[in-house]
Structures are given as C-alpha cells and as structure tokens.
C-alpha cells in the first residue's frame, strides 16, 4: 500500500487565498477611491 500526499486541499487553499486577497484589494481600492472623491469635492468648494 502506497501512501501519497493529496495535493487538492493545498490547491483549493491557494485558490481561496488568491480570491480572498483579490476581493480585499478591490474593497480597499474602492474605499480609497471614495475617500479621494470626497476630499476632491471638499477642496473644490
């Protein structure tokens, strides 16, 4: 009987980390954009 390490949990974890990181980056960028728009509107008045 040969025991091998199943790679699929690691592949799934890598994809989950990649997708979660992308979503966090999108959210952070969106919030930064909103703050910059508010600052621009304040400065323009």
């Amino acid at each position: 009987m040969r025991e091998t390490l199943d790679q699929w949990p690691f592949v799934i974890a890598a994809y989950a980390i990649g997708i979660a990181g992308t979503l966090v980056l999108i959210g952070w960028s969106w919030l930064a954009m909103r703050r910059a728009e508010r600052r621009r509107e304040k400065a323009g008045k």
Side-chain angles (χ1 to χ4, degrees), residues 16-36:
I17 290 169
I19 291 169
T22 300
L23 292 175
V24 167
L25 185 62
I26 289 169
W28 186 15
S29 298
W30 183 75
L31 289 174
M33 179 186 65
R34 296 287 307 238
R35 284 192 303 265

Side-chain angles (χ1 to χ4, degrees), residues 1-2 4-7 9-10 12-13 16-17 21 23-26 29 31-32 35-36 38-40 43-44:
M1 187 161 143
R2 195 173 123 202
T4 60
L5 187 61
D6 187 18
Q7 74 231 16
F10 298 103
I12 292 168
I17 290 169
L23 292 175
V24 167
L25 185 62
I26 289 169
S29 298
L31 289 174
R35 284 192 303 265
R38 272 191 245 123
R39 281 196 311 261
R40 186 190 60 192

